[in-house]
Amino acid sequence: VELRTAADASARAAGEALSRTQSLDEARIAAKNVALLNVVDNKPLILEDADIVTGNSSRSQGQKYVFTAGGNPINSFLVTGRKQHAAPSGAVRLWFGPLFGMNEWELTANAASARFDRDIAIVVDRSSSMKLYTTDPDTGMSLSDWRVCMPAQPQSKWAALANAVAAFI
């Protein structure tokens, strides 16, 4: 459970860092740092670069996400947590294993995490007609209209737009 949790947290950290920084190097650093914060068999999990595989996750026809190592665009990570003799964190030492001729137990856990970023653009109308009340049937305002020089009122389309943007943010 500890190894699976550490691998999962590391994969998620890599995805979050890639989303935030758009840097694969930063994503790998984040995965390694989070792994170190997770204790497996009373030791921090140490990841190597080879334990962090980049790729692409996309939906298959069965609506299940499929990870493709090396796929583009890169939107996911597959992290392999290893507690093995040759791994930096070593294998799990067995207390009673020597009674059965086993000193260590080797484990691996894989975890994949995908991030699907969305860019959002907000287009704002800053024309003078935005000073009209939301209930006003007019769609435009001429320069001769007395309201052109006034600040937008609380019942204006501008105020409604400002409230909508604030709620969205």
Side-chain angles (χ1 to χ4, degrees), residues 22-45:
Q22 300 298 303
S23 166
L24 289 175
D25 291 335
E26 291 294 323
R28 283 190 180 91
I29 290 169
K32 289 177 180 182
N33 288 341
V34 167
L36 289 171
L37 296 173
N38 284 271
V39 175
V40 180
D41 189 36
N42 295 317
K43 296 178 189 168
L45 179 65

Side-chain angles (χ1 to χ4, degrees), residues 58-151:
S58 58
R59 278 194 179 167
S60 67
Q61 289 180 343
Q63 299 300 312
K64 182 178 179 182
Y65 282 93
V66 177
F67 176 81
T68 304
N72 281 306
I74 294 171
N75 66 0
S76 48
F77 293 86
L78 177 66
V79 171
T80 301
R82 298 181 299 129
K83 288 296 288 179
Q84 298 172 328
H85 181 71
S89 300
V92 175
R93 304 260 312 139
L94 298 175
W95 286 75
F96 297 106
L99 295 173
F100 304 103
M102 294 178 58
N103 294 325
E104 300 176 326
W105 186 259
E106 296 188 329
L107 303 168
T108 60
N110 294 323
S113 177
R115 295 286 295 215
F116 300 98
D117 294 332
R118 301 289 185 252
D119 293 328
I120 298 172
I122 298 177
V123 179
V124 177
D125 179 358
R126 295 187 59 200
S127 67
S128 59
S129 66
M130 292 299 286
K131 291 183 181 180
L132 295 172
Y133 290 166
T134 56
T135 57
D136 200 324
D138 293 339
T139 57
M141 184 183 290
S142 69
L143 291 177
S144 62
D145 192 312
W146 60 273
R147 297 173 289 189
V148 168
C149 296
M150 291 184 61

